[in-house]
Amino acid sequence: MDRISWNQYFMAQSQLLSYRSTCTRLAVGATIVRDKRIIAGGYNGSIAGGDHCMDEGCYVIDNHCVRTIHAEMNALLQCAKFGVPASGADIYVTHFPCLQCCKAIIQAGIQTVFYAKDYKNHPYALELFEKAGVKMVQVESLPISIGQQEDEKRLFIESMITSLRTSGVEENTIAAFEKKAKNLFTT
């Protein structure tokens, strides 16, 4: 049996972290690694004890949700909180970091950003990474399935929603169920 690569292993850790995200717009996970050892991890979500987007909705200003702290920032803050230097480490992120996270990554001394998916890759972020000597590497992520029979569960929920629709249930009630179902199966 072939083992997955280190890059796929650490990206899988980031994918797993993204399952803890409370953001309804995009679930992101980040893992900081030094010498093939995980030193911190984070996901995008609200401050400790704060309202979550999944409960209260996103708080959007200038097309950005200001309720959440991004996964990369949460991982870097975890390093700071526990006195673990991030300088010289690598970060694995499920999506290409936003401009603000790019600047924080540079300032923290991260040497390589491994990411699975392009996501609004800002040209200035690319320029800053290049100027700072931070390498960017896109890594293929492996599919991760949490739980058993996910496809069967998805089909069952879809059939229930179809039954509700044909039974004359109000469309706004059905829309609420569809939204919750979508959140259950979003990766």
Side-chain angles (χ1 to χ4, degrees):
M1 179 172 111
D2 291 331
R3 296 193 311 171
I4 63 174
S5 71
W6 282 111
N7 285 344
Q8 289 172 323
Y9 172 77
F10 293 124
M11 191 58 70
Q13 296 295 321
S14 294
Q15 286 177 271
L16 191 58
L17 281 162
S18 76
Y19 284 106
R20 288 284 304 154
S21 172
T22 60
C23 179
T24 57
R25 297 173 85 196
L26 182 69
V28 179
T31 305
I32 300 177
V33 175
R34 181 186 298 105
D35 299 324
K36 293 188 174 66
R37 298 290 180 262
I38 297 170
I39 61 173
Y43 54 87
N44 54 332
S46 301
I47 61 168
D51 294 329
H52 297 284
C53 296
M54 65 189 334
D55 299 324
E56 302 293 326
C58 291
Y59 184 5
V60 178
I61 297 175
D62 295 330
N63 205 29
H64 295 290
C65 179
V66 297
R67 189 181 305 279
T68 60
I69 301 169
H70 289 187
E72 304 90 328
M73 290 298 290
N74 265 330
L76 291 169
L77 290 168
Q78 189 178 79
C79 284
K81 184 176 184 176
F82 295 108
V84 179
S87 184
D90 300 322
I91 190 167
Y92 289 79
V93 189
T94 56
H95 297 76
F96 192 86
C98 73
L99 179 57
Q100 297 305 317
C101 286
C102 289
K103 292 189 280 186
I105 286 166
I106 292 166
Q107 288 300 96
I110 298 289
Q111 62 185 15
T112 306
V113 174
F114 295 93
Y115 66 99
K117 296 178 184 171
D118 288 312
Y119 183 74
K120 300 181 183 179
N121 301 25
H122 198 285
Y124 188 52
L126 298 169
E127 180 183 330
L128 289 176
F129 276 156
E130 191 173 316
K131 283 182 180 178
V134 175
K135 292 180 266 176
M136 297 162 282
V137 178
Q138 191 164 15
V139 174
E140 179 185 358
S141 61
L142 300 173
I144 293 179
S145 179
I146 304 286
Q148 298 176 350
Q149 303 165 324
E150 190 166 322
D151 288 336
E152 287 179 54
K153 291 175 185 176
R154 185 186 319 266
L155 290 171
F156 177 71
I157 289 173
E158 288 172 4
S159 69
M160 286 179 58
I161 289 173
T162 300
S163 293
L164 290 173
R165 192 167 268 124
T166 58
S167 298
V169 174
E170 291 183 25
E171 192 57 38
N172 60 343
T173 301
I174 293 171
F177 285 131
E178 287 177 324
K179 182 179 178 184
K180 285 190 181 253
K182 181 182 176 197
N183 288 340
L184 286 173
F185 294 103
T186 301
T187 58

